[in-house]
């Protein structure tokens, strides 16, 4: 084993027990011993930046073949060292969990956009948690037309061939008792997202070689986990972030039906309560977007029938949780910001509705919003809370919530927002305790924050960056 291989192996084994999600594409490049690039330019050594070994070479000296080989290996070593240091810093919280590919699912048509097998990461439970299961669904948006799906299938959100082989577990998935006392020793699964429809699609586009098989992927993964011990589950949670948080809502009752009747099943949606609202131009951008997703992927037949049966000629509107949650049977908990950064950027003020870019600075930093824009954003919060209320979240004994006023999107997947000294607090309670108390019925929890900018415990930056949403 050479130096670079040894260094790579050590970087994976000398790590603590918890990690937040790191940049997957950077990691994949590192794993392949490549120098990371951005816009086709090397990040470490560009034409205008001399690598360290050149600082010690005379300008007149002509390198020999042997010295050129040494220089090349030195550059490779430095590149790898940079990757390792990045991984160590990003994975300072946790141990990596290897990937599992469902090769047998391909024969059932349960495949990613490019036809590759679905995948997940599985950290087995222990002790008192050996028969308890968390199935957490990754986020990552949607593709609404052939062009965006073709682009998507060239990434890890459309192909398991491009997914990282190791994934750091943190927050709800952490295996560390101190930071995740209620769920640290459960069986914890991270389901990779590669269909682009929140696991609702079931169609094929032969002309473009695209497979819209999200529903089949969900069914295949649950069946595989049942065979691996989830059929004996005493407790089970279906959770997800962003598009995965939406999937956790849309698939919650189905997940309940697939597990034994004796299993205590509940669901958790993080930043998945996307609301049916108009944009700043008065248009229906998000409604039109979801309609395109549903049509392309053939999603309607896999949306909850308890919702679609009530929507008449518009069953695709059941992509919006406010219409689904009303008739859900399975208990569910919502972690969301009333000022969800993704929703403000893409539902309230999408670029298509802001041709003059008047909202550009405001969307990046709410402190840069004009008084008029802040009024619109406060009205958006009111619309969000009305949708939550009409869905029955405020009154149902089987539903709970943690609604903060942070400019955030996805908060359960990182230790810093899940349960740490820097975590958001609402009603003297952090997210981890709020959800744990609700799940174990220690208290019926509905935490609602005051309006922005009242909460000093909110993170300084938009939590959308670097997460699995």
């Amino acid at each position: 084993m050479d130096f670079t291989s040894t260094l790579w192996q050590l970087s994976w084994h000398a790590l603590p027990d918890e990690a937040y999600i790191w940049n997957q594409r950077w990691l994949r490049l590192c794993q392949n011993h490549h120098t990371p690039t951005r816009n086709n330019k090397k990040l470490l050594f560009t034409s205008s930046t001399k690598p360290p070994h050149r600082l010690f070479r005379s300008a007149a000296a002509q390198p020999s073949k042997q010295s050129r080989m040494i220089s090349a290996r030195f550059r490779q070593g430095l590149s790898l060292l940079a990757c390792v240091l990045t991984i160590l810093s990003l994975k300072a919280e946790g141990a990596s969990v290897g990937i599992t590919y469902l090769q047998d699912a391909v024969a059932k048509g349960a495949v990613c956009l490019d036809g590759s097998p679905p995948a997940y990461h599985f950290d087995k439970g222990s002790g008192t948690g050996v028969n308890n299961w968390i199935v957490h669904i990754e986020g990552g948006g949607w593709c609404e037309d052939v062009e965006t799906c073709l682009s998507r299938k060239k990434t890890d959100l459309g192909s398991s061939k491009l997914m990282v082989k190791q994934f750091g577990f943190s927050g709800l998935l952490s295996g560390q008792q101190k930071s995740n006392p209620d769920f640290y020793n459960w069986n914890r699964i991270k389901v990779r997202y590669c269909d682009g429809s929140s696991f609702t699609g079931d169609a094929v586009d032969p002309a473009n070689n695209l497979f819209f098989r999200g529903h089949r992927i969900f069914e295949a993964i649950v069946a595989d986990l049942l065979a691996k011990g989830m059929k004996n589950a005493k407790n089970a949670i279906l959770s997800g972030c962003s598009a995965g948080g939406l999937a956790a809502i849309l698939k919650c009752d189905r997940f309940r039906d697939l597990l034994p009747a004796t299993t205590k099943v509940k669901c958790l949606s993080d930043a998945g309560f996307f609301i049916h609202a108009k944009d700043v131009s008065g248009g229906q951008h998000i409604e039109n977007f979801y309609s395109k997703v549903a049509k392309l992927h053939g999603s309607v037949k896999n949306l909850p029938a308890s919702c679609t049966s009530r929507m008449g000629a518009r069953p695709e509107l059941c992509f919006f949780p406010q219409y689904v949650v009303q008739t859900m049977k399975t208990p569910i908990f919502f972690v969301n910001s009333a000022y969800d950064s993704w929703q403000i950027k893409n539902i309230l003020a999408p670029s298509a509705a802001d041709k003059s870019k008047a909202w550009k600075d405001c969307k990046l930093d709410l402190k840069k919003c004009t008084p008029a824009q802040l009024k619109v954003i406060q009205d958006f919060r009111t619309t969000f809370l009305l949708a939550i209320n009409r869905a029955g979240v405020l009154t149902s004994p089987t539903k709970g919530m943690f609604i903060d006023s942070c400019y955030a999107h996805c908060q359960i997947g990182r230790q810093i927002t899940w349960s740490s000294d820097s975590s958001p607090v609402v009603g003297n309670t952090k997210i981890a305790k709020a959800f744990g108390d609700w799940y174990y019925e220690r208290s019926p929890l509905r935490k609602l924050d005051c309006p922005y900018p009242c909460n000093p415990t909110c993170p300084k930056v938009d939590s959308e960056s670097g997460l699995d949403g």
Side-chain angles (χ1 to χ4, degrees), residues 303-312 315 317-320 323-324 327:
L303 295 173
S306 60
C307 176
T308 57
S309 62
R310 297 184 299 108
M311 299 306 289
L317 292 180
C318 291
F319 253 102
F320 292 103
Y323 306 123
V324 176
T327 56

Side-chain angles (χ1 to χ4, degrees), residues 420-436:
S420 74
D421 293 340
S422 303
S423 298
V425 175
V426 177
N428 297 317
T429 306
K430 296 177 182 177
I431 297 172
K433 188 176 188 307
F435 177 65

Side-chain angles (χ1 to χ4, degrees), residues 102 135 217-227 230 255 258-259:
L102 270 66
V135 180
I217 290 175
F218 180 82
E219 297 284 314
I221 286 178
V222 173
D224 188 66
L225 294 174
L226 287 168
M230 197 165 66
F255 185 68
L258 291 171
L259 269 73

Side-chain angles (χ1 to χ4, degrees), residues 139-188:
W142 309 267
C143 58
E144 80 281 15
D145 54 35
V146 169
E147 182 181 1
T148 56
C149 288
L150 284 173
S151 297
R152 187 182 181 97
K153 84 170 191 175
K154 297 175 184 178
T155 74
D156 53 351
L157 290 171
S159 173
S160 62
K161 297 175 184 178
L162 301 174
M163 294 174 182
V164 294
K165 304 299 186 293
Q166 303 283 337
F167 218 108
F169 277 12
S170 185
L172 173 67
L173 297 181
S174 168
Q176 195 171 83
Q177 184 175 10
K178 181 180 179 181
S179 53
N180 192 26
D182 285 322
F183 309 107
Y184 75 97
N185 63 350
W186 285 35
N187 294 282
R188 289 157 288 115

Side-chain angles (χ1 to χ4, degrees), residues 50 53-63:
K50 292 183 179 180
H53 71 277
R54 290 187 182 175
L55 299 177
F56 302 99
R57 185 200 305 166
S58 167
Q62 296 298 320

Side-chain angles (χ1 to χ4, degrees), residues 41-220:
K41 294 182 180 180
K42 291 189 176 182
L43 296 178
L44 297 180
F45 300 121
T46 66
S47 58
S48 60
T49 304
K50 292 183 179 180
H53 71 277
R54 290 187 182 175
L55 299 177
F56 302 99
R57 185 200 305 166
S58 167
Q62 296 298 320
S64 65
K65 181 178 180 180
Q66 183 179 12
S67 66
R68 287 198 301 270
M69 291 176 62
I70 294 173
S71 296
R73 289 185 65 81
F74 183 67
R75 288 195 297 272
Q76 181 189 30
L78 284 175
S79 300
L80 181 60
L81 180 59
C83 290
V84 169
L85 291 174
T86 298
I87 294 167
L88 287 171
S89 64
L90 291 173
K91 294 187 66 191
E93 293 181 3
S96 59
V97 179
I99 197 168
T100 298
Y101 299 101
L102 270 66
Q103 299 290 352
D104 294 344
V106 176
K108 303 174 184 176
V111 293
C112 300
L113 284 172
D114 70 336
S116 58
Y120 60 78
H121 300 259
F122 181 10
D123 198 4
K124 292 185 178 181
S126 61
T128 58
V130 72
N131 287 321
N132 299 332
W133 295 71
I134 294 175
V135 180
H136 181 79
I137 303 174
E138 181 181 33
W142 309 267
C143 58
E144 80 281 15
D145 54 35
V146 169
E147 182 181 1
T148 56
C149 288
L150 284 173
S151 297
R152 187 182 181 97
K153 84 170 191 175
K154 297 175 184 178
T155 74
D156 53 351
L157 290 171
S159 173
S160 62
K161 297 175 184 178
L162 301 174
M163 294 174 182
V164 294
K165 304 299 186 293
Q166 303 283 337
F167 218 108
F169 277 12
S170 185
L172 173 67
L173 297 181
S174 168
Q176 195 171 83
Q177 184 175 10
K178 181 180 179 181
S179 53
N180 192 26
D182 285 322
F183 309 107
Y184 75 97
N185 63 350
W186 285 35
N187 294 282
R188 289 157 288 115
I189 295 92
K190 175 90 170 184
V191 178
R192 303 306 300 274
Y193 179 39
C194 64
D195 70 279
S197 72
S198 287
F199 295 88
T200 61
D202 195 6
V204 175
D205 179 355
N208 292 290
N209 198 29
L210 284 169
F211 300 86
F212 307 116
R213 297 297 200 185
H215 175 71
R216 296 192 187 198
I217 290 175
F218 180 82
E219 297 284 314

